Amino acid sequence: MISDSVQNKVMGAGWSGFRLQRLGDWLPKNCEQFPQTVQLLKEAEAPLAMRGVIVARQVPGSGVAPHSDGRNIFLTAHFGLSVPEDCSITVGGKTRDWIEDGTIVLDTSFVHSTENKSDEDRFVLIVDFWHPDLTVPEREALEYIYDFRTKFEQGKIKYSPKMPSDFFKTLEMYSAWGGAYTEEKNAKVENRTPD
């Protein structure tokens, strides 16, 4: 694996991922390794979710333990790139074999797990896209939240807890007008005569 490869405890030691996209950003160094795949994804204009696009590898004799990501705002497509026999995924209690050149679409908010009982590596392309039941405003709001999260993780947004101790200053800080609107200022504007 090269830059920005991924491995974590939830997925287990036998699983690793090579990111092509993360939180809405294509990773140029990694995309150079899969130019046709990236081109196809971009041309398809699929509503790719902020979570990402990954080429995932599962080594022989390994599996991903049952887990849920708790988010039903995404659907995830697994495209079988190199799939030996005896490789399966279980979602919501239903088990399906991966098929090379086939696709499995799942909602990862359901408990899911994988197995590779073969003696070869299994590779799938994982593509997260927005759930089709989301409205455009909902998608835009989620993209805003994920973009904010990305900027925070990159250190572009600093957290500074500066809460006023006075009730009225706190109210002003959180108000829509931020102290810019008062009855008095409004009355002065209404009583003004044109020059």
Side-chain angles (χ1 to χ4, degrees), residues 23-40:
L23 298 174
D25 294 325
W26 292 99
L27 305 173
K29 284 184 182 179
N30 294 0
C31 290
E32 289 172 8
Q33 305 297 314
F34 297 90
Q36 293 174 322
T37 302
V38 172
Q39 181 181 353
L40 285 170

Side-chain angles (χ1 to χ4, degrees), residues 132-158:
D133 289 344
L134 290 174
T135 65
V136 171
E138 288 169 331
R139 248 183 24 214
E140 288 172 352
L142 289 164
E143 286 171 352
Y144 176 82
I145 291 167
Y146 272 86
D147 184 53
F148 189 88
R149 173 187 160 194
T150 302
K151 288 177 181 167
F152 180 77
E153 287 177 349
Q154 294 170 345
K156 294 177 182 175
I157 297 172
K158 300 290 181 204

